[in-house]
């Protein structure tokens, strides 16, 4: 049977972007373009008239935004709707309004030029901010700026379109996203914008699948083209083939079935029928995801990939900047746990140093790079410690392969604690330290490594790559990237058993945790805590609530004696059928 991997591997008509809001849709393109506003900087001869025009345009803009705000309050929760309230407040900002008037009088420039120039100045300051959140907000201000200018020019913009279209645009403002959603828009795709752009956040709130940041999709599609939007994996397929349409139609129908009643699981524990609780945590890549984490029913954050902060900022944040980011997350998730992973730099991730490595995945990556760069490592440790006063933060080391690496990291952590004590900074005295088990050497030595740490987390994304000697990003060998290989599952079992013998908490945070086909097997192998992308948590919860731990133990036992991946998959599929559990693997 074809999987997503096969479909995307062969697709020539695919465009990749950022998976901003989960879901799958097939529909016709509506190219949403806004007339580019020409701004005149001509001279003002009648100051009183210019001032009146400005007042009217501001009044009209406020009227429009009030309407947008009231729709937002109907459709979204208060915090989301507040985006528009904030825009309305800009219209009431006396300093800004005074600046407009003074400049029109002093410079004798047209109001539209002054509005453009004055607000652009604010935006430039925001764009240079180190906070990704503030940077993204600079885009949102475009909306208010263009709204006032359009009203000064007495133009109208279209906000209603044919129902059921997929809106494709270079960029969407929060108001566009909201107003367009009234026309039953099926999906959003944009050239620009990131996961934290408000258009993305609003799409998630409204449950409309979205892919953002495709760079140039508007150049590749025409009005009325058919496209498939996959908001789980961040792909768009343009004018899909018959095979692709059939594949995604089935997925879509399956998804509709699956989503029925998913909400009801949100506040229930992930408990098997015979009473074994599996804790479900969220993997977080960017802090903007925290909203989905909070609404997904997660028990906490099992993996916060801090190297993503570097991707977002393109530079190394200072200690204080990091303290702010970690404290903020810790408070948002409190009293649940936040597992902060030390920067996993290197491999195919953020490049810190311009060093040539023939095999970066086998090179200076994760803990190896951090130990080589103690200043950088210490900055992060100090920030994590300073943010730990809620007592819900724990710290995890990536790419560990030897005990010496853990011992050295712990020494550095102790040095940081001593420094902070001397500087009179408080921190959590029981700060927990854990490791990722993702290198085969660490898997083999789990028993010994366990003695050095408080907790362990299995990272199958890398574990499979290193165990099978197959680059996780290389399409040519992707058939060998087998999460159900007996070699992989026996290794997972070994890690779990050894960690448990040492009475250390063992969790699981590789993508395999989100593969619903893998869940019964992992539960049977003894996993009691899984961390996955937040949007997949309700699906995992539902599977677990259908399981019987005793049955999964037998399944695991049978799988452990298989000699090929095909046999393992066959056993699991049989298990799903025998126990009448809906199979959801290929959906997400
Ligand atoms: C892993 O390797 O399984 C993991 C969770 O880490 P990452 O995907 O960030 O390498
Ligand atoms: Mg990894």
């Amino acid at each position: 049977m074809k999987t997503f991997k096969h479909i995307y591997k062969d697709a020539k008509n695919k465009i990749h972007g950022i998976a901003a809001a989960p879901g799958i849709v097939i529909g016709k393109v509506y190219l949403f373009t806004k007339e580019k506003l020409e701004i005149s900087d001509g001279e003002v001869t009648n100051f009183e008239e210019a001032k009146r025009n400005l007042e009217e345009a501001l009044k009209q803009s406020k009227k429009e935004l009030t309407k947008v705000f009231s729709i937002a309050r109907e459709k979204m929760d208060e915090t989301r709707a507040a985006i528009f309230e904030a825009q309305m407040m800009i219209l009431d900002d006396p300093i800004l309004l005074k600046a407009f008037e003074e400049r029109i009088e002093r410079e004798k420039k047209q109001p539209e030029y002054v509005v453009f120039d004055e607000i652009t100045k604010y935006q430039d300051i925001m764009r240079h901010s180190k906070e990704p959140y503030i940077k993204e907000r600079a885009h949102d201000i475009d909306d208010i700026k263009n709204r006032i200018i359009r009203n000064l020019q007495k133009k109208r913009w279209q906000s209603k379109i044919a129902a059921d279209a997929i809106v494709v645009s270079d960029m969407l403002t929060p108001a566009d996203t909201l107003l367009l959603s009234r026309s039953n828009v099926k999906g959003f795709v944009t050239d620009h914008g990131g996961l934290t752009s408000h258009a993305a956040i609003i799409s998630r709130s409204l449950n409309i699948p979205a892919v953002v940041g495709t760079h140039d999709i508007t150049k590749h599609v025409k009005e009325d083209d058919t496209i498939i939007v996959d908001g789980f994996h961040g792909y768009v397929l343009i004018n899909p083939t018959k095979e692709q349409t059939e594949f995604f139609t089935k997925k879509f129908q399956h998804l509709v079935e699956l989503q029925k009643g998913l909400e009801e699981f949100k506040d229930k524990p992930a408990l098997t029928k015979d009473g074994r609780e599996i804790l479900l945590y969220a993997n977080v890549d960017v802090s903007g995801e925290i909203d989905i984490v909070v609404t997904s029913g997660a028990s906490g954050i099992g993996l916060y990939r801090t190297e993503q902060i570097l991707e977002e900022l393109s530079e190394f944040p200072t200690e204080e900047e990091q303290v702010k980011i970690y404290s903020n997350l810790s408070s948002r998730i409190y009293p649940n746990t936040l597992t902060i992973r030390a920067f996993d730099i290197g491999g195919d991730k953020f490049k810190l140093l311009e060093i040539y490595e023939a095999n970066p995945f086998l090179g200076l990556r994760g803990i190896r790079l951090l130990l080589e760069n103690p200043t950088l490592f210490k900055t992060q440790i100090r920030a994590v410690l300073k943010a730990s006063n809620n007592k819900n933060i724990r710290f995890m080391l990536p790419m560990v392969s030897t005990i010496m690496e853990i011992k050295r990291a712990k020494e550095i952590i102790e040095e940081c604690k001593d420094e902070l004590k001397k500087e009179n900074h408080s921190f959590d005295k029981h700060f927990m330290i854990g490791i990722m088990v993702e290198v085969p050497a660490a898997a083999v030595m789990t028993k010994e490594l366990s003695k050095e740490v408080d907790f362990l987390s299995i990272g199958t994304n890398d574990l499979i790559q290193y165990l099978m000697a197959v680059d996780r990003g290389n399409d040519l060998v992707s058939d060998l990237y087998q999460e159900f290989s007996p070699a992989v599952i026996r290794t997972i079992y070994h890690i779990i058993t050894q960690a448990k013998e040492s009475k250390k908490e063992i969790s699981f945070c590789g993508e395999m945790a989100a593969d619903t086909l893998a869940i019964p097997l992992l539960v049977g192998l003894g996993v009691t805590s899984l961390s996955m992308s937040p949007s997949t948590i309700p699906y995992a919860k539902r599977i677990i609530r259908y399981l019987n731990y005793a049955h999964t133990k037998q399944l695991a036992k049978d799988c452990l004696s298989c000699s090929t991946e095909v046999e393992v998959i066959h056993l699991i599929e049989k298990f799903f059928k025998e126990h009448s559990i809906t199979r959801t693997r290929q959906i997400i």
Side-chain angles (χ1 to χ4, degrees):
M1 192 209 255
K2 287 255 172 191
T3 63
F4 278 106
K5 210 155 86 179
H6 292 120
I7 290 282
Y8 289 131
K9 187 177 171 189
D10 301 335
K12 303 265 178 296
N13 55 342
K14 63 173 184 255
I15 292 211
H16 196 33
I18 299 165
I24 288 169
V25 278
I26 305 178
K28 297 270 183 213
V29 167
Y30 175 83
L31 266 178
F32 180 72
T33 41
K34 285 185 182 167
E35 180 197 345
K36 207 159 170 13
L37 295 168
E38 296 292 332
I39 292 148
S40 150
D41 65 349
E43 198 171 311
V44 163
T45 43
N46 185 338
F47 171 67
E48 283 311 315
E49 190 188 339
K51 208 174 114 186
R52 238 187 351 265
N53 282 345
L54 177 66
E55 273 163 13
E56 268 171 33
L58 290 171
K59 209 165 113 197
Q60 175 63 20
S61 302
K62 200 159 175 190
K63 201 168 129 199
E64 290 171 4
L65 265 178
T66 311
K67 191 168 152 207
V68 172
F69 182 46
S70 80
I71 300 170
R73 292 221 313 215
E74 248 172 58
K75 291 201 162 209
M76 304 189 291
D77 67 42
E78 286 289 323
T79 32
R80 294 268 148 278
I83 299 168
F84 302 103
E85 200 175 21
Q87 289 197 11
M88 281 162 57
M89 279 159 67
I90 295 177
L91 284 175
D92 281 332
D93 178 355
I95 301 174
L96 188 69
L97 302 185
K98 197 158 165 249
F100 288 160
E101 278 190 19
E102 280 177 1
R103 284 191 57 185
I104 297 170
E105 191 168 10
R106 194 176 60 240
E107 296 170 28
K108 305 215 174 348
K109 288 269 199 280
Q110 288 293 342
E112 59 195 59
Y113 173 83
V114 172
V115 167
F116 175 82
D117 194 57
E118 197 60 28
I119 299 187
T120 305
K121 272 201 296 199
Y122 276 87
Q123 287 179 297
D124 286 343
I125 297 169
M126 292 170 83
R127 283 196 184 102
H128 285 101
S129 162
K130 287 199 170 133
E131 294 265 344
Y133 183 83
I134 306 273
K135 272 189 185 168
E136 284 286 359
R137 297 296 71 80
H139 281 307
D140 298 346
I141 295 194
D142 267 336
D143 190 21
I144 189 77
K145 178 170 79 178
N146 293 335
R147 190 177 292 280
I148 306 171
I149 296 171
R150 174 177 53 80
N151 280 321
L152 276 165
Q153 298 179 349
K154 308 214 182 321
K155 286 184 178 152
R156 289 280 164 269
W157 270 336
Q158 181 185 13
S159 66
K160 283 208 175 129
I161 58 167
D164 294 338
I166 297 176
V167 171
V168 178
S169 179
D170 61 341
M171 178 83 200
L172 288 168
T173 66
D176 296 333
T177 319
L178 187 73
L179 291 173
L180 291 167
S181 75
R182 285 187 308 166
S183 309
N184 247 343
V185 161
K186 284 166 95 176
F188 290 110
V189 187
T190 61
D191 286 342
H192 306 295
L195 205 56
T196 57
S197 63
H198 266 137
I201 296 174
I202 289 177
S203 306
R204 289 198 287 275
S205 292
L206 299 174
N207 253 333
I208 299 177
V211 173
V212 300
T214 61
H215 300 297
D216 58 359
I217 186 145
T218 47
K219 292 206 182 84
H220 297 279
V221 292
K222 299 186 300 305
E223 192 85 21
D224 277 340
D225 274 348
T226 299
I227 55 171
I228 294 174
V229 178
D230 174 356
F232 290 112
H233 302 94
Y235 279 102
V236 180
L237 293 171
I238 303 170
N239 293 324
T241 60
K242 189 159 166 274
E243 187 196 22
Q244 290 169 341
T245 308
E246 278 170 12
F247 178 86
F248 280 96
T249 307
K250 267 203 208 125
K251 294 290 168 224
F252 177 73
Q253 285 159 350
H254 199 169
L255 198 62
V256 172
E257 277 307 305
L258 285 171
Q259 279 171 339
K260 278 186 199 154
L262 212 53
E263 267 289 299
E264 87 182 73
F265 294 97
K266 208 186 98 196
D267 299 317
K268 291 186 179 155
L271 208 60
T272 64
K273 283 183 179 168
D274 47 354
R276 185 170 172 89
E277 183 165 19
I278 309 296
L279 295 173
L280 298 183
Y281 290 90
N283 287 354
V284 170
D285 287 82
V286 289
S287 47
E289 275 177 305
I290 190 72
D291 294 316
I292 328 179
V293 176
V294 172
T295 54
S296 70
S299 301
I301 295 177
L303 166 66
Y304 175 36
R305 290 184 167 100
T306 53
E307 59 279 5
Q308 292 297 335
I309 307 172
L310 311 179
E311 295 283 359
E312 280 176 57
L313 297 180
S314 314
E315 63 182 351
F316 209 79
T318 63
E319 182 177 313
E320 281 320 305
E321 282 165 343
Q322 289 186 57
V323 174
K324 233 195 260 164
I325 299 173
Y326 307 146
S327 304
N328 194 5
L329 268 181
S330 144
S331 304
R332 290 290 310 276
I333 202 75
Y334 186 82
N336 290 328
T337 306
L338 163 63
T339 312
I340 297 182
R341 186 175 70 183
F343 297 120
D344 186 6
I345 310 170
D348 63 342
K349 302 191 187 184
F350 185 80
K351 282 249 170 306
L352 178 79
L353 315 161
E354 284 311 316
I355 301 174
Y356 170 75
E357 291 182 289
N359 289 306
F361 272 123
L362 305 180
L364 202 55
R365 184 190 158 185
I367 190 70
R368 304 170 183 181
L369 185 140
L370 296 172
L371 294 178
E372 286 286 318
N373 293 275
T375 315
L376 182 155
F377 193 23
K378 278 180 83 171
T379 309
Q380 182 172 38
I381 298 169
R382 284 174 54 96
V384 174
L385 280 167
K386 276 185 174 178
S388 70
N389 283 308
N390 286 337
K391 300 188 175 24
N392 66 338
I393 290 185
R394 48 187 209 168
F395 193 51
M396 184 156 73
L397 311 172
M399 276 291 289
V400 168
S401 39
T402 68
I403 291 188
M404 281 320 291
E405 286 166 342
I406 307 178
K407 286 194 192 277
R408 181 67 198 121
K410 280 167 51 182
E411 278 168 16
I412 299 178
I413 294 171
E414 283 310 309
E415 272 171 40
C416 293
K417 285 185 178 173
D418 289 343
E419 283 173 17
L420 291 180
K421 272 186 216 153
K422 283 194 195 114
E423 294 163 26
N424 276 331
H425 279 295
S426 56
F427 54 85
D428 179 6
K429 302 272 173 306
H430 304 287
F431 184 70
M432 296 222 287
I433 300 163
I435 52 164
M436 297 276 302
V437 185
E438 51 184 347
V439 174
V444 173
M445 299 296 286
T446 302
K447 191 167 142 201
E448 287 74 12
L449 301 191
S450 295
K451 294 189 183 121
E452 294 294 326
V453 294
D454 301 305
F455 68 96
L456 305 94
S457 188
I458 304 175
T460 40
N461 304 345
D462 279 311
L463 187 61
I464 300 172
Q465 139 162 295
Y466 294 124
L467 201 58
M468 304 295 291
V470 53
D471 178 343
R472 65 196 253 190
N474 185 342
D475 273 1
L476 298 176
V477 283
S478 60
D479 286 347
L480 267 176
Y481 191 90
Q482 300 175 352
E483 50 184 40
F484 294 102
S485 153
V488 171
I489 59 173
R490 286 183 204 182
T491 307
I492 294 174
Y493 182 62
H494 173 80
I495 303 169
I496 296 171
T497 332
Q498 299 276 294
K500 283 194 173 167
E501 269 176 27
S502 311
K503 304 218 168 3
K504 291 293 157 68
E505 187 197 316
I506 174 86
S507 56
F508 196 104
C509 64
E511 284 309 305
M512 191 173 173
D515 183 343
T516 42
L517 192 67
I519 290 175
L521 173 61
L522 296 177
V523 171
L525 288 172
V527 164
T528 47
S529 133
L530 293 167
S531 191
M532 58 191 72
S533 63
S535 57
T536 55
I537 288 178
Y539 296 94
K541 216 177 243 189
R542 175 156 61 187
I543 295 269
I544 290 165
R545 291 180 66 88
Y546 279 127
L547 297 176
N548 213 305
Y549 177 50
H551 298 156
T552 63
K553 271 208 301 200
Q554 185 58 45
L555 170 71
K557 197 164 163 229
D558 295 343
C559 291
L560 283 168
S561 58
C562 289
S563 32
T564 65
E565 183 186 45
V566 175
E567 285 171 52
V568 175
I569 294 180
H570 178 72
L571 280 182
I572 306 176
E573 283 175 340
K574 199 162 120 240
F575 176 90
F576 270 91
K577 268 199 204 104
E578 274 171 11
H579 297 281
S580 312
I581 306 171
T582 327
R583 254 197 69 193
T584 57
R585 182 196 185 195
Q586 266 83 26
I587 289 296
I588 40 182

Short mmCIF file of all heavy atoms in Angstrom, two decimals, residues 369-400:
data_model
loop_
_atom_site.label_atom_id
_atom_site.label_comp_id
_atom_site.label_asym_id
_atom_site.label_seq_id
_atom_site.Cartn_x
_atom_site.Cartn_y
_atom_site.Cartn_z
N LEU A 369 29.39 19.09 20.17
CA LEU A 369 29.66 20.48 19.82
C LEU A 369 29.56 21.38 21.06
O LEU A 369 30.36 22.29 21.25
CB LEU A 369 28.66 20.93 18.76
CG LEU A 369 28.88 22.33 18.21
CD1 LEU A 369 28.65 22.36 16.71
CD2 LEU A 369 27.99 23.36 18.86
N LEU A 370 28.61 21.07 21.94
CA LEU A 370 28.43 21.90 23.14
C LEU A 370 29.65 21.80 24.05
O LEU A 370 30.10 22.79 24.62
CB LEU A 370 27.16 21.49 23.89
CG LEU A 370 25.85 21.72 23.12
CD1 LEU A 370 24.67 21.11 23.86
CD2 LEU A 370 25.61 23.22 22.92
N LEU A 371 30.18 20.58 24.18
CA LEU A 371 31.36 20.42 25.05
C LEU A 371 32.59 21.10 24.44
O LEU A 371 33.49 21.52 25.17
CB LEU A 371 31.63 18.94 25.32
CG LEU A 371 30.56 18.22 26.15
CD1 LEU A 371 30.90 16.74 26.30
CD2 LEU A 371 30.38 18.86 27.52
N GLU A 372 32.62 21.21 23.14
CA GLU A 372 33.73 21.91 22.47
C GLU A 372 33.58 23.42 22.59
O GLU A 372 34.52 24.16 22.34
CB GLU A 372 33.73 21.57 20.97
CG GLU A 372 34.22 20.19 20.63
CD GLU A 372 35.72 20.05 20.75
OE1 GLU A 372 36.43 20.99 20.33
OE2 GLU A 372 36.17 19.04 21.32
N ASN A 373 32.36 23.86 22.87
CA ASN A 373 32.09 25.30 22.95
C ASN A 373 31.46 25.63 24.31
O ASN A 373 30.28 26.00 24.40
CB ASN A 373 31.13 25.73 21.84
CG ASN A 373 31.77 25.59 20.48
OD1 ASN A 373 32.47 26.48 20.02
ND2 ASN A 373 31.54 24.46 19.85
N PRO A 374 32.23 25.49 25.40
CA PRO A 374 31.64 25.62 26.73
C PRO A 374 30.97 26.97 26.99
O PRO A 374 30.00 27.04 27.74
CB PRO A 374 32.82 25.39 27.68
CG PRO A 374 34.04 25.40 26.85
CD PRO A 374 33.66 25.16 25.43
N THR A 375 31.44 28.03 26.35
CA THR A 375 30.83 29.34 26.63
C THR A 375 29.39 29.35 26.15
O THR A 375 28.47 29.76 26.86
CB THR A 375 31.62 30.47 25.92
OG1 THR A 375 32.99 30.22 26.12
CG2 THR A 375 31.23 31.83 26.40
N LEU A 376 29.23 28.85 24.95
CA LEU A 376 27.89 28.77 24.36
C LEU A 376 26.99 27.85 25.20
O LEU A 376 25.85 28.18 25.52
CB LEU A 376 28.11 28.19 22.97
CG LEU A 376 27.02 27.96 21.96
CD1 LEU A 376 27.67 28.00 20.59
CD2 LEU A 376 26.37 26.64 22.15
N PHE A 377 27.54 26.72 25.61
CA PHE A 377 26.79 25.75 26.41
C PHE A 377 26.40 26.36 27.75
O PHE A 377 25.26 26.27 28.20
CB PHE A 377 27.67 24.49 26.59
CG PHE A 377 26.93 23.28 27.12
CD1 PHE A 377 25.56 23.12 26.98
CD2 PHE A 377 27.64 22.24 27.75
CE1 PHE A 377 24.90 21.99 27.46
CE2 PHE A 377 27.00 21.12 28.23
CZ PHE A 377 25.63 21.00 28.09
N LYS A 378 27.38 27.04 28.36
CA LYS A 378 27.11 27.63 29.68
C LYS A 378 26.04 28.71 29.61
O LYS A 378 25.22 28.85 30.51
CB LYS A 378 28.41 28.21 30.27
CG LYS A 378 29.27 27.14 30.93
CD LYS A 378 30.53 27.72 31.50
CE LYS A 378 30.31 28.31 32.87
NZ LYS A 378 31.59 28.67 33.51
N THR A 379 26.03 29.46 28.52
CA THR A 379 25.00 30.50 28.38
C THR A 379 23.62 29.85 28.42
O THR A 379 22.70 30.34 29.09
CB THR A 379 25.17 31.24 27.02
OG1 THR A 379 26.50 31.64 26.92
CG2 THR A 379 24.24 32.43 26.91
N GLN A 380 23.49 28.75 27.72
CA GLN A 380 22.19 28.09 27.72
C GLN A 380 21.87 27.49 29.09
O GLN A 380 20.76 27.66 29.60
CB GLN A 380 22.12 26.99 26.65
CG GLN A 380 20.73 26.35 26.62
CD GLN A 380 20.51 25.39 25.48
OE1 GLN A 380 21.42 24.64 25.12
NE2 GLN A 380 19.31 25.39 24.92
N ILE A 381 22.83 26.81 29.70
CA ILE A 381 22.57 26.19 31.01
C ILE A 381 22.17 27.25 32.03
O ILE A 381 21.20 27.08 32.77
CB ILE A 381 23.82 25.42 31.51
CG1 ILE A 381 24.16 24.28 30.55
CG2 ILE A 381 23.59 24.87 32.91
CD1 ILE A 381 25.51 23.63 30.81
N ARG A 382 22.91 28.36 32.05
CA ARG A 382 22.59 29.43 33.02
C ARG A 382 21.18 29.95 32.78
O ARG A 382 20.42 30.19 33.72
CB ARG A 382 23.61 30.58 32.90
CG ARG A 382 24.97 30.28 33.53
CD ARG A 382 25.96 31.42 33.23
NE ARG A 382 25.43 32.71 33.65
CZ ARG A 382 25.69 33.31 34.80
NH1 ARG A 382 26.52 32.74 35.65
NH2 ARG A 382 25.16 34.48 35.09
N ALA A 383 20.83 30.10 31.51
CA ALA A 383 19.48 30.61 31.19
C ALA A 383 18.41 29.60 31.64
O ALA A 383 17.40 30.00 32.24
CB ALA A 383 19.36 30.86 29.69
N VAL A 384 18.65 28.33 31.38
CA VAL A 384 17.66 27.31 31.77
C VAL A 384 17.53 27.29 33.29
O VAL A 384 16.42 27.25 33.83
CB VAL A 384 18.06 25.92 31.22
CG1 VAL A 384 17.12 24.85 31.73
CG2 VAL A 384 18.05 25.92 29.69
N LEU A 385 18.66 27.35 33.99
CA LEU A 385 18.62 27.34 35.46
C LEU A 385 17.86 28.57 35.98
O LEU A 385 17.01 28.47 36.86
CB LEU A 385 20.04 27.32 36.03
CG LEU A 385 20.75 25.96 36.04
CD1 LEU A 385 22.24 26.15 36.34
CD2 LEU A 385 20.12 25.01 37.06
N LYS A 386 18.19 29.73 35.42
CA LYS A 386 17.54 30.96 35.88
C LYS A 386 16.03 30.90 35.67
O LYS A 386 15.26 31.51 36.41
CB LYS A 386 18.09 32.17 35.12
CG LYS A 386 19.38 32.74 35.68
CD LYS A 386 19.70 33.98 34.87
CE LYS A 386 20.87 34.75 35.39
NZ LYS A 386 21.14 35.91 34.52
N ALA A 387 15.62 30.16 34.61
CA ALA A 387 14.18 30.08 34.30
C ALA A 387 13.49 28.96 35.06
O ALA A 387 12.30 28.75 34.90
CB ALA A 387 14.00 29.85 32.79
N SER A 388 14.25 28.26 35.93
CA SER A 388 13.71 27.02 36.50
C SER A 388 12.95 27.19 37.82
O SER A 388 12.61 26.21 38.46
CB SER A 388 14.85 26.02 36.70
OG SER A 388 15.69 26.46 37.77
N ASN A 389 12.68 28.44 38.20
CA ASN A 389 12.09 28.64 39.54
C ASN A 389 10.67 28.09 39.70
O ASN A 389 10.22 27.86 40.81
CB ASN A 389 12.17 30.11 39.94
CG ASN A 389 13.59 30.45 40.38
OD1 ASN A 389 14.15 29.74 41.22
ND2 ASN A 389 14.19 31.44 39.76
N ASN A 390 9.98 27.86 38.58
CA ASN A 390 8.66 27.23 38.70
C ASN A 390 8.79 25.75 39.05
O ASN A 390 7.79 25.07 39.25
CB ASN A 390 7.90 27.30 37.36
CG ASN A 390 7.37 28.68 37.06
OD1 ASN A 390 7.18 29.47 37.98
ND2 ASN A 390 7.13 28.98 35.80
N LYS A 391 10.01 25.24 39.01
CA LYS A 391 10.30 23.84 39.32
C LYS A 391 9.64 22.86 38.35
O LYS A 391 9.32 21.73 38.70
CB LYS A 391 9.90 23.48 40.76
CG LYS A 391 10.62 24.30 41.81
CD LYS A 391 10.33 23.76 43.19
CE LYS A 391 11.08 24.42 44.31
NZ LYS A 391 11.56 25.76 44.14
N ASN A 392 9.39 23.31 37.14
CA ASN A 392 8.79 22.37 36.18
C ASN A 392 9.67 22.19 34.93
O ASN A 392 9.24 21.66 33.94
CB ASN A 392 7.38 22.82 35.78
CG ASN A 392 7.37 24.13 35.00
OD1 ASN A 392 8.32 24.92 35.09
ND2 ASN A 392 6.33 24.38 34.25
N ILE A 393 10.94 22.66 35.03
CA ILE A 393 11.82 22.52 33.87
C ILE A 393 12.81 21.39 34.11
O ILE A 393 13.36 21.25 35.21
CB ILE A 393 12.62 23.83 33.63
CG1 ILE A 393 11.67 24.92 33.12
CG2 ILE A 393 13.76 23.62 32.64
CD1 ILE A 393 12.35 26.22 32.73
N ARG A 394 13.03 20.56 33.08
CA ARG A 394 14.14 19.62 33.16
C ARG A 394 14.96 19.75 31.88
O ARG A 394 14.48 20.26 30.87
CB ARG A 394 13.65 18.20 33.42
CG ARG A 394 12.52 17.75 32.55
CD ARG A 394 12.01 16.41 33.01
NE ARG A 394 11.46 15.69 31.88
CZ ARG A 394 11.16 14.43 31.89
NH1 ARG A 394 11.36 13.70 32.98
NH2 ARG A 394 10.66 13.85 30.83
N PHE A 395 16.18 19.30 31.95
CA PHE A 395 17.15 19.60 30.90
C PHE A 395 17.66 18.30 30.27
O PHE A 395 17.99 17.35 30.98
CB PHE A 395 18.31 20.37 31.55
CG PHE A 395 19.26 21.04 30.59
CD1 PHE A 395 18.79 21.87 29.57
CD2 PHE A 395 20.63 20.87 30.71
CE1 PHE A 395 19.67 22.50 28.71
CE2 PHE A 395 21.53 21.50 29.86
CZ PHE A 395 21.03 22.32 28.86
N MET A 396 17.72 18.26 28.94
CA MET A 396 18.05 17.00 28.27
C MET A 396 19.22 17.19 27.29
O MET A 396 19.26 18.18 26.56
CB MET A 396 16.81 16.52 27.52
CG MET A 396 16.95 15.19 26.85
SD MET A 396 15.35 14.41 26.61
CE MET A 396 14.65 15.39 25.29
N LEU A 397 20.14 16.26 27.29
CA LEU A 397 21.33 16.35 26.44
C LEU A 397 21.16 15.52 25.17
O LEU A 397 20.81 14.34 25.25
CB LEU A 397 22.57 15.86 27.20
CG LEU A 397 22.77 16.44 28.61
CD1 LEU A 397 23.91 15.72 29.33
CD2 LEU A 397 23.06 17.94 28.52
N PRO A 398 21.42 16.11 24.00
CA PRO A 398 21.25 15.36 22.75
C PRO A 398 22.52 14.65 22.29
O PRO A 398 23.62 15.08 22.62
CB PRO A 398 20.90 16.47 21.75
CG PRO A 398 21.60 17.68 22.26
CD PRO A 398 21.75 17.53 23.75
N MET A 399 22.35 13.57 21.54
CA MET A 399 23.46 12.89 20.84
C MET A 399 24.54 12.33 21.76
O MET A 399 25.72 12.31 21.41
CB MET A 399 24.13 13.87 19.87
CG MET A 399 23.47 13.98 18.54
SD MET A 399 23.65 12.50 17.55
CE MET A 399 25.37 12.54 17.12
N VAL A 400 24.12 11.91 22.94
CA VAL A 400 25.11 11.37 23.88
C VAL A 400 25.58 10.01 23.39
O VAL A 400 24.77 9.17 23.00
CB VAL A 400 24.47 11.24 25.28
CG1 VAL A 400 25.36 10.42 26.21
CG2 VAL A 400 24.19 12.62 25.85
#
